[in-house]
Amino acid sequence: MKLEIVGLSFSYGPNIIFDNLNVEFENGRLNAILGPNGVGKTTLLKLIAGIIKPHNGSILYNKQPLPKGSVAYVPQDNILLPWLTLYSNVELPLKIAGVDDDTRRLRVLKALEATEVLHLSNRYPKHISGGERKRVAIARALASNAPIFLLDEPMANVDPSGREVIWRILRGLSNEKLVIVVTHEISEALMVGDLIYVMAGRPANIVEVLEGGEEAWARLKRIITLYYRQ
Amino acid sequence: MGSIEKNNNIVLQTVKNVGYVTLVLTLACILWQVIAITSDKPYLPKLESIAAKLYLELVYGRLLEDLVATIRRILLSILIALIAGVSSGLLSARISLGYRILRPIILATYPIPHVTLIPILLWILGIEYSKIGVISLIAFYPIAISTMEWSLRSPKEYEDIVETMGGGMYHKLRYVIIPSIIPGVLTGLRIATSTAYAVAFIAESFVLTNGVGAYIEESWHRLDYAGVYSGVVLLSVMGIVTYMLIWLIEKMYRRKIE
């Protein structure tokens, strides 16, 4: 299973974000996009999620255009609907997809359990911590059964123990889903990513793709010196 | 645990607010009684005369029928204002044509003293509907403006999430847009209903048919001072109760999400 971005171009007014961007993401590995703030990481996620449309180019999953509802997107902020309980938040994609009551309940409970937030299911988002909110958002993505997961800065504003839980969940997920995590923090990219895509430049491009692990650190240091200070 | 504490806080705050209102009303009653006794003027009747009149008119007189007529008028007007206000507020905030055309019209016509339109509405809508028309018109503005403001400040990310789930406009309306404007609608509704009682009085006393406004006006012409005060007390109590009720619902909803 492969997500291909082919000849993608996008701009905000005169500000060109991508010009003929080509990149591929694969299943079974945790893909992390690393880049400085404002480079276009979130824009790329929004383009993949279909929230904004590219001016040129295409986004293909298994050589086909992405079908509706195939992407579970977890934005950086405002990730849960504040007027719904956590249970209802997780249930939402299933309701929209028209899944029957019994199946819905089973899938929601399973997802809440997998992300270790089942005990919070009757609460509202404002009454839990940032890390717990992220986990509920991941539970929602899990319940939706979407094959592609997009997470924007999933570790931001999360305490170390919460990061550990999220990391464990994402690692488990990456075996069966295509997971793309966006971050501007090198430590987070190293912690999460099996493959680290370094995004830099204006228009932005993927300037390096690194295997995660200890060797990546030395190479990242060189890349950062080169691109982050531009 | 947190939500229990918050619910307790709401109950505590409500009890406090009811306590304050009761205290202020009690003090006002004492002050009234002192002034009524010391001044001995017929237009300042003692509390017991007003209470007796209110009881007699409600139980044996026409006041209950008038009250029902006024409430029916207010409910119908508020319903019209609610539908028109929420629709206009949403259109003004979410559709570019609405933002460019409808929003300036609403904001520009808001300061007009709409009560002055009663004679014109009387020609156009007739006796009964002119009253409903003017109450609806005045109640429309706070609801429309508040809906507009809340709709404009709702984060776009919520709709993006629903869109990525495969949701269309119906899902966005049901799960994001409507729930996000509820606090604004309730704020507008609270202001609108308080104003509605005052406007109902003006409209009913302008076109004398039935209603508490008509009852007050007729009592005033007959120099029935206790009758005038009975009507005033009744409208005031209704206004306070409605205001507090909507305030409580608003508070409970906002506590849940903020």
Side-chain angles (χ1 to χ4, degrees), chain A residues 118-172:
Chain A
L118 184 60
H119 60 294
L120 304 169
S121 59
N122 289 328
R123 295 204 188 170
Y124 285 89
K126 288 284 172 184
H127 304 146
I128 59 170
S129 72
E132 288 166 336
R133 276 201 283 276
K134 294 266 162 82
R135 276 148 63 189
V136 176
I138 295 171
R140 183 180 60 199
L142 261 177
S144 75
N145 249 355
I148 302 168
F149 275 36
L150 308 174
L151 299 103
D152 197 350
E153 307 275 0
M155 309 290 192
N157 306 318
V158 179
D159 59 44
S161 65
R163 283 174 177 228
E164 169 66 28
V165 177
I166 291 172
W167 178 80
R168 198 157 19 91
I169 295 163
L170 292 179
R171 182 130 309 279

Side-chain angles (χ1 to χ4, degrees), chain B:
Chain B
M1 195 68 184
S3 63
I4 294 169
E5 272 171 29
K6 278 178 189 294
N7 284 338
N8 286 343
N9 282 345
I10 294 176
V11 173
L12 204 72
Q13 204 176 343
T14 310
V15 171
K16 249 185 190 175
N17 283 350
V18 172
Y20 284 139
V21 171
T22 314
L23 182 72
V24 170
L25 286 178
T26 312
L27 287 175
C29 286
I30 294 169
L31 187 69
W32 179 272
Q33 191 70 340
V34 171
I35 294 170
I37 291 167
T38 51
S39 66
D40 197 27
K41 299 280 187 203
Y43 54 82
L44 290 175
K46 291 181 193 123
L47 283 178
E48 57 266 29
S49 316
I50 299 170
K53 179 77 180 175
L54 185 61
Y55 173 77
L56 288 171
E57 284 289 350
L58 276 174
V59 178
Y60 304 106
R62 56 171 276 200
L63 199 48
L64 190 61
E65 268 174 46
D66 284 321
L67 180 65
V68 171
T70 301
I71 289 175
R72 206 175 49 214
R73 235 166 246 148
I74 286 176
L75 284 179
L76 185 61
S77 307
I78 289 291
L79 184 69
I80 295 168
L82 197 62
I83 294 167
V86 171
S87 318
S88 313
L90 281 176
L91 286 174
S92 310
R94 309 197 69 89
I95 295 172
S96 66
L97 202 66
Y99 188 82
R100 279 183 280 132
I101 297 170
L102 195 56
R103 188 171 181 267
I105 292 174
I106 293 173
L107 294 177
T109 52
Y110 177 47
I112 293 172
H114 298 103
V115 180
T116 55
L117 299 175
I118 292 177
I120 300 160
L121 288 174
L122 199 57
W123 292 332
I124 302 168
L125 300 172
I127 289 175
E128 181 56 28
Y129 291 115
S130 63
K131 295 172 200 164
I132 291 167
V134 76
I135 302 169
S136 303
L137 190 65
I138 289 171
F140 162 81
Y141 283 92
I143 297 172
I145 291 169
S146 193
T147 302
M148 203 190 300
E149 295 303 322
W150 276 79
S151 186
L152 283 171
R153 74 166 88 145
S154 171
K156 174 82 171 55
E157 283 99 328
Y158 297 143
E159 286 174 56
D160 291 345
I161 290 169
V162 172
E163 204 174 324
T164 58
M165 289 171 186
M169 197 53 200
Y170 164 75
H171 297 107
K172 284 186 192 174
L173 261 173
R174 181 173 170 190
Y175 295 114
V176 179
I177 299 169
I178 301 288
S180 72
I181 57 162
I182 285 176
V185 173
L186 288 170
T187 306
L189 192 65
R190 187 159 44 89
I191 299 163
T193 41
S194 317
T195 320
Y197 283 102
V199 181
F201 163 72
I202 297 170
E204 286 172 351
S205 54
F206 190 87
V207 189
L208 293 175
T209 46
N210 58 5
V212 182
Y215 172 85
I216 294 172
E217 182 73 8
E218 282 169 17
S219 302
W220 186 80
H221 279 293
R222 289 198 311 269
L223 296 179
D224 176 3
Y225 302 112
V228 170
Y229 286 110
S230 301
V232 171
V233 166
L234 207 55
L235 278 185
S236 307
V237 170
M238 288 307 298
I240 291 169
V241 169
T242 319
Y243 185 93
M244 297 276 296
L245 212 65
I246 301 172
W247 172 85
L248 188 65
I249 297 168
E250 187 187 338
K251 206 80 186 161
M252 284 168 79
Y253 187 78
R254 291 180 74 157
R255 272 293 163 93
K256 204 166 67 176
I257 64 167
E258 285 174 0

Side-chain angles (χ1 to χ4, degrees), chain A residues 11-228:
Chain A
S11 57
Y12 287 114
N15 191 7
I16 301 168
I17 310 295
F18 301 118
D19 186 19
N20 195 29
L21 174 73
N22 293 285
V23 59
E24 286 181 12
F25 301 98
E26 282 184 31
N27 252 32
R29 309 186 84 178
L30 234 157
N31 304 286
I33 303 175
L34 173 68
N37 282 330
V39 74
K41 304 183 298 295
T42 301
T43 305
L44 182 60
L45 287 196
K46 285 185 173 177
L47 283 161
I48 299 172
I51 295 163
I52 46 176
K53 305 284 173 233
H55 300 327
N56 271 312
S58 48
I59 300 165
L60 305 169
Y61 184 59
N62 296 332
K63 308 280 182 198
Q64 300 290 321
L66 281 171
K68 227 180 173 189
S70 61
V71 170
Y73 173 55
V74 180
Q76 188 178 351
D77 301 310
N78 301 315
I79 55 179
L80 299 173
L81 303 183
W83 39 82
L84 295 181
T85 62
L86 303 183
Y87 183 94
S88 302
N89 261 288
V90 176
E91 194 185 25
L92 190 57
L94 306 179
K95 272 189 164 176
I96 289 173
V99 175
D100 67 86
D101 288 2
D102 292 340
T103 318
R104 212 162 66 206
R105 188 172 161 72
L106 274 175
R107 274 165 65 177
V108 171
L109 292 176
K110 200 175 156 197
L112 285 167
E113 201 170 4
T115 48
E116 301 172 28
V117 282
L118 184 60
H119 60 294
L120 304 169
S121 59
N122 289 328
R123 295 204 188 170
Y124 285 89
K126 288 284 172 184
H127 304 146
I128 59 170
S129 72
E132 288 166 336
R133 276 201 283 276
K134 294 266 162 82
R135 276 148 63 189
V136 176
I138 295 171
R140 183 180 60 199
L142 261 177
S144 75
N145 249 355
I148 302 168
F149 275 36
L150 308 174
L151 299 103
D152 197 350
E153 307 275 0
M155 309 290 192
N157 306 318
V158 179
D159 59 44
S161 65
R163 283 174 177 228
E164 169 66 28
V165 177
I166 291 172
W167 178 80
R168 198 157 19 91
I169 295 163
L170 292 179
R171 182 130 309 279
L173 270 176
S174 64
N175 294 326
E176 46 193 290
K177 309 273 184 188
L178 197 150
V179 183
I180 303 174
V181 172
V182 145
T183 180
H184 70 277
E185 276 190 35
I186 298 156
S187 58
E188 195 177 310
L190 283 168
M191 180 185 176
V192 169
D194 293 326
L195 271 181
I196 303 168
Y197 295 76
V198 183
M199 186 185 274
R202 177 69 68 222
N205 218 325
I206 300 297
V207 292
E208 289 266 359
V209 182
L210 308 168
E211 294 274 342
E214 284 180 20
E215 279 177 27
W217 175 235
R219 289 185 66 192
L220 268 175
K221 269 200 328 200
R222 183 180 57 80
I223 293 163
I224 291 151
T225 325
L226 204 64
Y227 293 108
Y228 268 49

